[in-house]
Amino acid sequence: MNPSASGWINKFGHLLKEEPLNLKNSKVLYEQLKAIGFVYGIHLDVYPLVKTEHQLTEDEVAKINLLVALYLTYELEKGQTDFTQFVETVFNYYKTLDVGSISFLNKILSANHTESQLEKLIDSRIYLGGNTFNRAFGNSLTNSLLFVDVLIFRAYLQGYTSIMEHAKLLEYVTINIAYHALNSKETTKNDAKLIQLLASSLSFVDLKNTEFDGTYRDLLRYNFTPEERSYFLDMACLTIWEDKSIDFTESDYVFGLGKDLGKTENEVKSALNYVVDFFEKNKERIGYLSDKNVAFQFYQGMSKNVSKLILRNSKRLKKELAESKELVSLLSKSTVKELTPEEKKKVQNQLLDIFKTIPSLAIFMLPGGAILLPIFIKLIPKLLPSAFDDNRVA
């Protein structure tokens, strides 16, 4: 399943027929989504039991996990596994929320199949206002509140009449809790990264007209679901742990919030310990916690994007390389010894000639694109045959 190519939702439905995702209840779903980082807005691993053929980028992981979370929520609420009906329901749900502009939705509606329409709509949720440059730095900037989509979808399935109001309420409470968790710190000078990510991820709340005056605590008397209350607590724990330490004032705040949410002290301690363990385990993989300089982040992001393009076009590249024996010989030589300047120039020119024949690798033809050639050379040993269409259903 390739979530960057058309047909991936249909392929997901086909895979479900072969190996259904069995789930006991919504609490188990929440814990599983938290374990892979989706609840925290950190997109590192795909949902357990979902098989993928390629190494996925962060945005691809986010796409798959969003669809899986929506599907399992549908299955739990409706008690059925009709995938076609599920796709129709999710598409209508997002139309109700009006998550895209009218012009964008018109483009979606011009597609022939609902699966294709939903693919475009999910793309809009992952790439909110994104461009190639921004995506080179990773997509956590726009994907931090995706789990709210799942919580709202459950309310939609349960027949909430004011679904947009509920969406605004969940985002409002979440951003307020994060803001006050940050404000509980003794120093906030260097601890505002996460709140910026959350703020830039808002879809339904206008941040410019939002008051952070603590009145959200009155809203906690609202009949929130257990998963919604757990989410609020986990977002508070995530915010105060961003600087890898918890002081007395922060602890005071989160335990007070836990009480307002109807949580026991043990449940609050468990939530705090969980986020500590999660960050310790994945600290090297979480982009916004990194102290890497901007240039390195950009190159690293471009490396991920280019690596994906190369691996997805591996069959065509193998065919082209097989017809260029001199190039293969030079590439093999480069793995054991330094090439001469003339040989390097020959490799560069021949590779660029090959990339001209593969439209999706046009990035190498752009001014400065040659600096990405080392990424290609590094991936040569990994090139394996693959189908032209990863999402084709036999």
Side-chain angles (χ1 to χ4, degrees), residues 8 33 47 57 83 99 105 112-113 119 156 165 168 222 258:
W8 72 275
L33 292 174
Y47 186 85
T57 60
F83 191 74
V99 295
L105 283 176
N112 294 325
H113 303 289
E119 284 174 8
Y156 175 80
E165 292 305 310
K168 291 179 180 178
Y222 184 84

Side-chain angles (χ1 to χ4, degrees), residues 123-303:
D123 278 347
S124 78
R125 296 302 290 149
I126 305 302
Y127 297 134
L128 296 178
N131 56 45
T132 302
F133 185 82
N134 288 336
R135 291 202 296 274
F137 288 92
N139 293 305
S140 57
L141 189 67
T142 59
N143 297 335
S144 298
L145 292 177
L146 273 182
F147 185 70
V148 173
D149 283 25
V150 181
L151 294 174
I152 304 168
F153 183 54
R154 186 180 184 191
Y156 175 80
L157 295 174
Q158 292 175 344
Y160 280 51
T161 54
S162 302
I163 192 67
M164 180 60 81
E165 292 305 310
H166 191 66
K168 291 179 180 178
L169 177 63
L170 288 179
E171 276 200 351
Y172 173 77
V173 174
T174 300
I175 197 68
N176 267 272
I177 285 175
Y179 175 84
H180 286 283
L182 182 67
N183 203 43
S184 70
K185 294 175 176 286
E186 292 184 351
T187 174
T188 60
K189 183 178 179 180
N190 299 315
D191 299 332
K193 293 178 185 176
L194 182 60
I195 197 70
Q196 291 170 358
L197 294 179
L198 296 176
S200 65
S201 302
L202 294 171
S203 298
F204 313 108
V205 171
D206 181 1
L207 195 60
K208 293 180 180 178
N209 298 318
T210 301
E211 296 278 336
F212 295 115
D213 56 5
T215 56
Y216 74 92
R217 284 185 178 271
D218 296 332
L219 296 173
L220 297 181
R221 299 188 183 93
Y222 184 84
N223 191 28
F224 289 114
T225 66
E227 287 71 36
E228 289 169 346
R229 292 176 179 273
S230 293
Y231 178 66
F232 295 149
L233 178 61
D234 284 329
M235 293 309 289
C237 293
L238 176 66
T239 306
I240 65 174
W241 179 246
E242 184 191 7
D243 61 350
K244 307 180 186 66
S245 66
I246 301 175
D247 60 36
F248 177 77
T249 56
E250 297 165 20
S251 180
D252 239 11
Y253 169 78
V254 78
F255 275 98
L257 175 66
K259 184 176 181 180
D260 291 339
L261 290 168
K263 300 288 185 179
T264 65
E265 285 193 9
N266 283 337
E267 287 175 320
V268 176
K269 289 178 182 177
S270 177
L272 283 169
N273 290 333
Y274 197 101
V275 77
V276 170
D277 292 340
F278 179 86
F279 271 65
E280 282 299 310
K281 178 183 176 182
N282 299 293
K283 58 185 177 183
E284 298 299 326
R285 303 173 63 193
I286 299 174
Y288 73 82
L289 294 178
S290 173
D291 292 326
K292 299 167 186 172
N293 63 52
V294 172
F296 184 83
Q297 285 187 52
F298 180 74
Y299 186 78
Q300 188 180 54
M302 287 300 294
S303 296

Side-chain angles (χ1 to χ4, degrees), residues 30 54 102 114 145 169 199 224 240 335 363 392:
Y30 182 84
H54 302 286
I102 294 176
T114 308
L145 292 177
L169 177 63
F224 289 114
I240 65 174
T335 63
I363 185 172
R392 183 174 62 84

